[in-house]
């Protein structure tokens, strides 16, 4: 390759798009490092505190797309207090000052402000794509800035964010001359929507492929929208509350029949049970179906819909579908790759909607299944062993038994053997979440067999430090380890400090780790940020000097970084 | 069929696993481990005096979130006894009260070891007319609330808002469990609530609202559906936010631990005269307490604990019943 001019090498590199591969390329030699640096288009930063925007710009001066993740994963479940961090503002400001031609910004679990969005909209002439997932801190005023100023905007994709809805006119801020919209997802907005502005926007967007509406868009508006966007590929229905044979309903059915490109269906945030039948004509083409918010639709209607969905690859559903419904899925959806079954009853009220039988049926019927997230009330080792045998191709396996510490409900044994079978059979397993009654044994299995595991979530499991040590010693590719309410302490935490350099982050909450242990770790590993999220009064702890023995019962979050202690930590976060 | 038999019949499982299964049988599945293998570096200077360790346990401020119950920890603490806890208390809130400790230790730990304000009011009924969360006038008109509040606070004994009498609510108090995104929880809750409103049945999903307090460094969230009346909400909020007022007490020049005695706390809170307010669907800030509990959780979007002086401008609803009817008419 040394005999090729740089332009040729660069052209070859253009075909390499995965971040990992590009990282590997850059390590080959100085020349490749340099070529790769200048040609990298998409930068992925899994932890916004691992590096600074200035260093990012020094290394990659020409990138067009930036993906940033902020808060740790457990922030999704209210375990990280408000104000912890993950502010995107310094990034936007630094990028705005530089001359980088930013076209795409993808943020996950970050704090975004209206000022930031305004600055973003004014600073990058070619800005095309904004994707915000699980973010917070902004309002529809920020969206109005984006709509007004981003002339070349293609994608505005807001997934599950907490947005202050000022019920304003952000939709009418898109200029009349603006016609380049491809993706519009505002399903997470809670307020009323300017339907007129929305319809006009959709009518002048011939390239619109993905439209996901919020619950304030009623049925008749949906019918009109679909009538002027028959090219749509991905639809999120907002509200569907009409009577069965109303005029709007008929209009909608007529419009749906024309949507021959429709492949993905979601939403139904407010849905009358009969509404799904309107979509039967397009079911045979659907590859993705997300009905996990449609709490009002009865299992039987879900089943009637799914019976027509022979090409389904991705299914997100509520457990109201039941084991019987999952059997229908198993016999119908032979192309299924990803399944998520969410709980309707979050308080474990004893409603056994799906059990281990549903999981086994799916594993038996869907040979291409590689990702699963399954919430259920009960499980057995026998079922998991069967699943492992049926589906050795799992890449992601996340099982959540709603009651902590629940054993195999038939034998009353821990579920060590079941999960052990999964990790042993699934040689490509990258992500695993365990639950139920588990001893150190399951971690022995994980450490021994889960050689490709990158992310592991542990809750209410294990007996001793040995459990955690098995994982740290065995899983060479571990990147993210998150543990809550498990009896792992300082001995496990400190056994191999250098391990954390190979990982993105470690989270431990309500475990046995002590403040003294965390301080020792911080001293040994200055290239780590060791944070304690502390919800007691800081002053008192320091005054009394009992620091050594205090249990960090709450939250430890550590991550590797090349830029040292962050400066935006609130007072309740100690960085050791 | 025991797991072992199952494994024998499945040739696919490696024999090494079967050997390990043999070892497995000797394991203690209840999760009890040898004390010596757990954090052995911490086990020094074990307190011989059981009574002292019990009281240490009770006053220990582990950093559990208020209202969070870690079932594993409960079991562990019960079965392993005081020998497991070797840490010195880093901060007793009060001069330790032995009579409170042994009976209340379990509850305190279960609730995350935050001492509720009521705990500090030993032998003095805390909630008289001067409930620091609600304006006096409201309590006078809402005799139901007063009764509930008084019941919630047995004199000088156990901490309050454990909801231990109602197991389903207690289960719901594990923070962040099940691991479902708040966004999803709230969305499902809204959906269920809307459909149930039509049917006239109470909603069943959780209903998270943000709670902020003047002067507190960060927000909290509470699930309104895990309470059944204003008294429970009040006690829970007071528990969550007491640490901030204590902190203020600490930084206002107090010299030592003994500053935190009962009278000072009560004066601080009553003196500051906090009131609880909420933002309703129209974006208006109202005083909490005007509506019945069921209607309140239907309209409440956010909560805020304000200083009384700041809340003077807020109107209480002119006449609770008509306004409530008006609002529910508007909704229907």
């Amino acid at each position: 390759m040394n005999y090729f001019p740089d332009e040729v090498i660069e052209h070859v590199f253009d075909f390499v798009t995965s971040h990992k591969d590009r990282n590997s390329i850059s390590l080959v030699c100085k020349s490749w490092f340099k070529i790769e640096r200048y040609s990298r288009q998409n930068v992925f930063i899994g932890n916004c505190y691992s590096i600074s925007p200035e260093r990012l710009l020094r290394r990659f001066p020409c990138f067009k797309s930036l993906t940033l993740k902020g808060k740790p994963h457990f922030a999704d479940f209210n375990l990280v207090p408000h104000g912890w961090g993950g502010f995107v503002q310094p990034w936007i400001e630094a990028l705005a000052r530089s001359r980088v031609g930013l076209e795409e910004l993808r943020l996950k679990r970050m704090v975004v402000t209206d000022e930031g969005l305004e600055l973003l909209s004014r600073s990058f002439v070619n800005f095309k794509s904004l994707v915000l997932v699980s973010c917070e801190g902004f309002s529809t005023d920020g969206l109005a800035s984006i709509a007004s100023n981003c002339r070349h905007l293609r994608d505005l994709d807001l997934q599950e964010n907490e947005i202050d809805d000022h019920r304003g006119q952000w939709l009418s801020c898109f200029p009349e001359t603006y016609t380049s919209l491809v993706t519009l997802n505002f399903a997470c907005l809670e307020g009323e929507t300017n339907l007129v502005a929305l319809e006009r926007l959709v009518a002048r967007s011939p390239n619109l492929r993905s439209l996901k509406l919020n619950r304030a868009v009623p049925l008749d508006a949906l019918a009109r929208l679909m009538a002027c966007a028959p090219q749509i590929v991905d639809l999120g229905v907002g509200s569907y509350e009409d009577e069965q044979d109303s005029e709007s309903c008929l209009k909608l059915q007529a419009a749906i029949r024309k949507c021959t490109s429709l492949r993905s269906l979601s939403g139904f945030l407010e849905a009358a049970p009969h509404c799904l039948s309107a979509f039967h004509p397009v079911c045979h083409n659907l590859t993705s179906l997300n009905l996990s918010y449609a709490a009002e639709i009865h299992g039987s209607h879900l089943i009637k819909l799914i019976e027509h969905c022979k090409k389904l690859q991705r299914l997100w559903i509520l457990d109201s579908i039941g084991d019987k419904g999952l059997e229908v899925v198993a016999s119908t959806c032979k192309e299924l790759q990803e399944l998520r079954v969410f709980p309707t009853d979050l308080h474990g009220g004893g409603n056994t909607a799906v059990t281990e039988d549903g999981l086994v049926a799916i594993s038996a019927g869907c040979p291409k299944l590689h990702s699963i997230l399954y919430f259920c009330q009960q499980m057995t080792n026998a079922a998991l062993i069967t699943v492992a045998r049926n589906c050795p191709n799992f890449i992601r396996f996340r099982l959540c038994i709603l009651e902590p510490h629940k054993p195999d409900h038939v034998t009353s044994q821990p579920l060590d053997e079941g999960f052990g079978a999964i990790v042993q059979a699934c040689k490509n397993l990258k992500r695993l979440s365990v639950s139920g009654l588990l001893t150190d044994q399951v971690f022995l299995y994980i450490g021994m067999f889960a050689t490709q595991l990158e992310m592991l979530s542990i809750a209410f499991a294990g007996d001793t430090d040995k459990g955690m040590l098995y994982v740290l010693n065995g899983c060479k590719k571990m990147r993210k380890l998150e543990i809550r309410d498990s009896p792992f302490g300082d001995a496990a935490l400190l056994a191999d400090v250098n391990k954390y350099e190979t990982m993105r982050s470690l989270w431990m909450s309500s475990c046995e780790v002590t403040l003294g242990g965390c301080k020792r770790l911080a001293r040994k590993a200055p290239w780590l940020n060791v944070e304690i999220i502390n919800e007691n009064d800081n002053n008192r702890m320091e005054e009394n000097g009992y620091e050594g023995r205090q249990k960090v019962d709450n939250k430890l979050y550590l991550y590797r970084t090349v830029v040292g202690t962050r400066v935006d930590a609130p007072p309740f976060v100690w960085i050791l | 069929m025991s797991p072992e038999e199952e494994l024998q019949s499945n040739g696919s499982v490696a024999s090494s696993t079967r050997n390990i299964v043999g070892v497995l049988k000797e394991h203690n599945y209840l999760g009890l481990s040898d004390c010596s293998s757990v954090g052995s570096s911490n086990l020094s200077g074990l307190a011989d005096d059981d009574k002292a360790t019990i009281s240490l346990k009770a006053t220990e401020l582990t950093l559990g979130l208020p209202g969070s119950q870690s079932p594993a920890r409960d079991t562990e603490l019960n079965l392993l006894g005081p020998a497991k806890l070797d840490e010195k208390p880093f901060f007793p809130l009060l001069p330790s009260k032995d009579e409170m400790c042994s009976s209340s230790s379990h509850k305190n730990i279960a609730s995350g070891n935050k001492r509720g304000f009521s705990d500090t009011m030993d032998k003095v009924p805390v909630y008289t007319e001067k409930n620091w969360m609600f304006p006096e006038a409201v309590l006078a008109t809402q005799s139901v609330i007063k009764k509930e509040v008084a019941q919630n606070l047995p004199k000088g004994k156990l901490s309050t808002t454990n909801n231990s009498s109602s197991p389903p609510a207690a289960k719901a108090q594990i923070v962040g469990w099940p691991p479902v995104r708040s966004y999803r929880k709230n969305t499902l809750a809204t959906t269920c609530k809307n459909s149930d409103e039509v049917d006239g049945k109470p909603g069943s999903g959780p209903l998270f609202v943000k709670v902020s307090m003047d002067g507190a460094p960060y927000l909290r969230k509470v699930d309104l559906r895990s309470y059944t009346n204003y008294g429970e909400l009040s006690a829970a909020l007071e528990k969550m936010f007491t640490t901030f007022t204590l902190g203020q007490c600490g930084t206002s020049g107090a010299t030592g631990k003994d500053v935190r005695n009962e009278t000072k706390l009560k004066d601080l809170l009553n003196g500051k005269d906090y009131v609880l307010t909420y933002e309703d669907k129209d974006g208006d800030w109202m005083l909490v307490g005007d509506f019945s509990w069921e209607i309140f959780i239907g309209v409440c979007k956010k909560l805020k604990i304000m200083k009384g002086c700041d809340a003077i401008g807020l109107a209480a609803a002119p006449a609770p019943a008509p306004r409530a009817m008006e609002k529910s008419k508007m909704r229907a």
Side-chain angles (χ1 to χ4, degrees):
Chain A
M1 287 288 266
N2 282 342
Y3 304 114
F4 289 121
D6 285 0
E7 297 79 36
V8 174
I9 299 182
E10 191 180 317
H11 184 64
V12 173
F13 287 359
D14 281 347
F15 294 97
V16 181
T17 48
S18 118
H19 308 290
K20 286 185 185 169
D21 290 342
R22 288 202 77 115
N23 290 343
S24 303
I25 288 176
S26 64
L27 293 174
V28 168
C29 62
K30 278 193 185 147
S31 158
W32 282 29
F33 180 86
K34 184 171 157 222
I35 298 171
E36 197 283 315
R37 248 182 91 200
Y38 283 102
S39 63
R40 188 168 315 200
Q41 301 276 289
N42 308 315
V43 178
F44 171 84
I45 296 177
N47 175 4
C48 65
Y49 290 119
S50 61
I51 193 160
S52 69
E54 290 73 29
R55 285 187 65 156
L56 164 67
L57 287 162
R58 275 209 298 274
R59 167 100 189 254
F60 300 117
C62 308
F63 69 90
K64 300 243 176 335
S65 163
L66 177 62
T67 304
L68 274 175
K69 295 191 182 179
K71 301 182 207 170
H73 175 232
F74 277 175
D76 279 346
F77 317 130
N78 267 3
L79 288 179
V80 176
H82 188 86
W84 172 85
F87 308 107
V88 77
Q89 191 66 15
W91 291 85
I92 298 181
E93 285 172 1
L95 295 179
R97 280 193 297 268
S98 78
R99 277 172 287 127
V100 74
L102 190 70
E103 293 184 9
E104 176 178 66
L105 187 61
R106 311 171 71 99
L107 304 178
K108 188 166 185 181
R109 282 191 286 271
M110 294 199 76
V111 178
V112 183
T113 60
D114 290 342
E115 293 72 34
L117 289 174
E118 158 108 44
L119 181 61
L120 181 71
S121 71
R122 292 195 186 283
S123 307
F124 307 105
V125 171
N126 281 326
F127 192 74
K128 295 194 169 72
S129 174
L130 182 64
V131 180
L132 302 178
V133 180
S134 284
C135 296
E136 48 151 350
F138 61 107
S139 75
T140 45
D141 296 346
L143 300 181
S145 311
I146 297 284
S148 309
N149 303 325
C150 299
R151 294 296 148 108
H152 301 285
L153 192 72
R154 271 187 338 216
D155 309 314
L156 182 58
D157 189 357
L158 309 168
Q159 299 175 27
E160 302 192 342
N161 302 290
E162 278 194 31
I163 307 177
D164 216 356
D165 196 335
H166 292 166
R167 298 170 178 81
Q169 300 301 317
W170 69 278
L171 272 172
S172 41
C173 291
F174 286 103
E176 285 299 319
T177 48
Y178 169 73
T179 56
S180 40
L181 195 62
V182 175
T183 302
L184 180 64
N185 174 1
F186 60 96
C188 59
L189 284 181
E190 288 294 316
E192 278 122 44
T193 300
N194 182 338
L195 295 174
V196 171
L198 176 63
E199 287 174 40
R200 286 166 65 161
L201 177 63
V202 169
R204 66 176 187 277
S205 302
N207 298 322
L208 189 68
R209 292 283 173 273
S210 172
L211 180 63
K212 293 185 180 166
L213 310 166
N214 72 348
R215 64 172 83 230
V217 179
L219 186 61
D220 53 336
L222 177 65
R224 288 193 295 274
L225 288 167
M226 291 186 76
C228 54
Q231 76 282 10
I232 204 148
V233 173
D234 177 12
L235 176 68
V237 173
S239 187
Y240 198 131
E241 289 278 40
D242 261 37
E243 290 305 313
Q244 193 145 5
D245 290 316
S246 71
E247 194 186 322
S248 298
C249 220
L250 294 170
K251 279 195 187 150
L252 179 66
Q253 287 172 11
I256 288 172
R257 261 180 237 114
K258 296 219 178 80
C259 295
T260 51
S261 304
L262 193 60
R263 296 288 174 273
S264 169
L265 198 54
S266 62
F268 298 96
L269 305 168
E270 313 241 336
H274 58 262
C275 66
L276 288 183
S277 50
F279 289 92
H280 285 185
V282 288
C283 281
H284 60 278
N285 280 330
L286 286 183
T287 55
S288 169
L289 185 58
N290 180 355
L291 296 171
S292 60
Y293 289 104
E296 295 162 308
I297 299 183
H298 198 265
S300 55
H301 297 281
L302 296 174
I303 293 172
K304 281 211 200 88
L305 182 78
I306 289 172
E307 275 169 350
H308 296 91
C309 300
K310 298 210 187 318
K311 289 196 190 159
L312 213 55
Q313 294 171 18
R314 182 161 81 158
L315 176 62
W316 290 25
I317 200 128
L318 287 169
D319 62 2
S320 50
I321 194 174
D323 284 339
K324 286 281 173 279
L326 289 177
E327 282 164 28
V328 173
V329 173
S331 59
T332 310
C333 308
K334 295 301 181 187
E335 302 295 315
L336 195 66
Q337 297 174 21
E338 178 186 334
L339 174 68
R340 295 198 190 188
V341 180
F342 291 97
T344 15
D345 183 357
L346 294 168
H347 297 284
N351 169 29
T352 50
V354 297
T355 69
E356 69 273 21
D357 294 336
L359 183 61
V360 170
I362 292 284
S363 72
C366 304
K368 299 192 182 176
L369 191 65
H370 59 60
S371 294
I372 190 156
L373 170 61
Y374 197 79
F375 284 85
C376 59
Q377 299 278 356
Q378 62 187 44
M379 188 50 58
T380 64
N381 283 309
L384 286 173
I385 291 169
T386 307
V387 168
R389 193 181 50 219
N390 291 339
C391 270
N393 297 324
F394 276 121
I395 301 175
R396 293 171 210 97
F397 188 86
R398 296 197 277 163
L399 179 66
C400 180
I401 300 165
L402 288 167
E403 190 187 317
H405 302 293
K406 187 152 185 189
D408 178 322
H409 74 94
V410 168
T411 65
S412 300
Q413 300 292 299
L415 291 170
D416 301 336
E417 294 309 306
F419 281 105
I422 295 281
V423 293
Q424 209 212 355
C426 303
K427 310 243 184 289
N428 294 323
L429 195 67
K430 291 203 175 137
R431 183 167 181 185
L432 177 66
S433 300
V434 295
S435 58
L437 182 65
L438 295 166
T439 72
D440 286 345
Q441 189 69 10
V442 71
F443 300 113
L444 174 69
Y445 293 145
I446 291 173
M448 200 186 310
F449 296 116
T451 52
Q452 302 299 312
L453 197 64
E454 295 179 6
M455 183 168 177
L456 178 61
S457 306
I458 300 171
F460 305 104
D463 306 318
T464 73
D465 284 336
K466 281 195 261 181
M468 187 168 161
L469 285 169
Y470 290 140
V471 171
L472 290 174
N473 293 335
C475 299
K476 301 291 178 211
K477 299 216 174 162
M478 184 63 66
R479 289 191 298 122
K480 287 183 281 183
L481 182 57
E482 47 186 27
I483 306 173
R484 62 165 293 179
D485 293 276
S486 301
F488 306 133
D490 293 344
L493 182 69
L494 292 163
D496 179 7
V497 164
N498 291 324
K499 173 74 178 173
Y500 304 125
E501 193 173 13
T502 67
M503 290 167 55
R504 184 190 297 172
S505 64
L506 168 68
W507 169 283
M508 292 180 76
S509 59
S510 304
C511 297
E512 300 287 319
V513 177
T514 71
L515 185 57
C518 295
K519 287 193 169 180
R520 279 205 300 280
L521 175 62
R523 273 197 297 273
K524 283 190 185 182
W527 33 265
L528 281 183
N529 272 356
V530 179
E531 297 191 5
I532 309 287
I533 300 172
N534 170 26
E535 297 191 69
N536 266 339
D537 189 327
N538 294 341
N539 297 337
R540 277 185 283 147
M541 284 234 229
E542 295 278 273
E543 270 164 25
N544 296 285
Y546 286 117
E547 36 173 71
R549 298 290 168 77
Q550 276 147 238
K551 262 201 271 203
V552 181
D553 230 9
N554 216 351
K555 290 132 189 179
L556 161 68
Y557 180 55
L558 63 85
Y559 50 90
R560 65 183 175 191
T561 177
V562 293
V563 288
T565 307
R566 61 180 173 116
V567 297
D568 61 0
F572 60 85
V573 172
W574 290 2
I575 305 186
L576 303 179
Chain B
M1 208 197 280
S2 76
E4 221 182 321
E5 287 165 20
E6 178 77 13
L7 286 169
Q8 279 172 355
S9 60
N10 294 341
S12 58
V13 180
S15 56
S16 59
T17 316
R18 280 180 49 211
N19 290 338
I20 292 163
V21 167
V23 169
L24 182 65
K25 286 184 92 176
E26 285 151 23
H27 235 72
N28 184 336
Y29 291 123
L30 289 175
L32 297 180
S33 54
D34 270 352
C35 222
S36 54
S37 65
V38 178
S40 49
S41 56
N42 299 334
L43 290 175
S44 59
L46 273 183
D48 293 310
D49 183 1
D50 275 0
K51 192 168 181 216
T53 47
I54 289 172
S55 59
L56 289 183
K57 238 204 297 191
T59 57
E60 181 181 300
L61 285 178
T62 56
L63 304 178
L65 286 175
S68 71
Q69 292 178 10
S70 185
R73 284 172 50 226
D74 275 344
T75 323
E76 269 184 291
L77 288 164
N78 277 332
L79 293 170
L80 295 178
K84 189 157 164 67
L85 292 171
D86 63 313
E87 288 97 8
K88 294 181 190 156
F90 54 83
F91 216 92
L93 257 187
L94 302 172
S96 75
K97 301 201 182 292
D98 287 347
E99 84 236 7
M100 285 175 73
C101 293
S102 43
S103 54
S104 68
S105 63
H106 176 67
K107 282 267 164 66
N108 271 341
I109 287 163
S111 67
N113 273 336
K114 284 275 166 73
R115 304 280 294 235
F117 172 55
S118 55
D119 286 4
T120 64
M121 301 293 119
D122 190 37
K123 296 187 173 67
V124 174
V126 175
Y127 288 84
T128 59
E129 266 80 68
K130 294 218 185 308
N131 181 330
W132 66 282
M133 295 297 272
F134 298 111
E136 239 183 273
V138 172
L139 272 188
T141 56
Q142 303 260 357
S143 55
V144 171
I145 294 174
K146 206 159 61 164
K147 187 161 77 99
E148 293 281 3
V149 163
Q151 278 175 359
N152 273 341
L153 301 161
K155 300 178 176 69
K157 272 251 178 157
L158 306 176
S159 65
T160 58
T161 55
N162 266 317
N163 292 327
S164 48
S165 52
S166 51
K171 245 196 204 174
Q173 297 230 342
I174 302 176
V175 176
W177 192 266
V180 173
R181 278 189 186 166
S182 325
Y183 173 81
R184 180 174 289 280
K185 281 186 189 172
N186 281 356
T187 307
L188 279 178
T190 315
T191 307
C192 291
K193 187 179 62 172
N194 289 345
S195 62
D196 290 337
E197 270 171 10
V198 171
D199 296 345
K201 282 179 280 193
S204 58
L207 185 58
F208 286 97
V209 296
K210 288 186 185 173
V211 189
S212 59
M213 175 168 168
D214 284 344
Y218 53 84
L219 301 180
R220 303 301 293 268
K221 276 188 184 173
V222 291
D223 173 8
L224 288 181
R225 275 200 229 282
S226 60
Y227 314 110
T228 56
N229 54 61
Y230 285 113
E232 286 178 14
L233 172 65
S234 159
L237 289 179
E238 161 258 313
K239 220 168 173 202
M240 268 184 208
F241 288 94
T242 299
T243 41
F244 302 124
T245 49
L246 285 177
Q248 286 167 20
C249 188
T251 51
S252 63
T255 45
K257 307 150 204 150
D258 38 67
V259 163
R260 285 157 194 72
N261 57 53
E262 303 166 2
T263 351
K264 284 252 164 134
L265 269 176
K266 194 174 169 190
D267 284 348
L268 181 72
L269 289 167
N270 280 342
K272 295 258 173 168
D273 185 27
Y274 286 98
V275 292
L276 183 61
T277 62
Y278 71 100
E279 184 183 28
D280 70 4
K281 287 190 162 153
D282 303 327
D284 303 320
W285 286 93
M286 320 274 291
L287 288 174
V288 165
D290 297 322
F291 300 136
S292 70
W293 177 254
E294 286 71 28
I295 293 183
F296 168 69
I297 61 176
V299 297
C300 173
K301 286 280 163 219
K302 278 187 202 175
L303 286 167
K304 188 164 179 169
I305 304 170
M306 287 187 187
K307 299 201 177 124
C309 42
D310 294 339
I312 285 174
L314 292 184
R323 179 97 183 259
M325 267 169 48
E326 206 183 287
K327 282 221 163 186
S328 53
K329 270 195 212 146
M330 287 191 325
R331 249 186 290 121

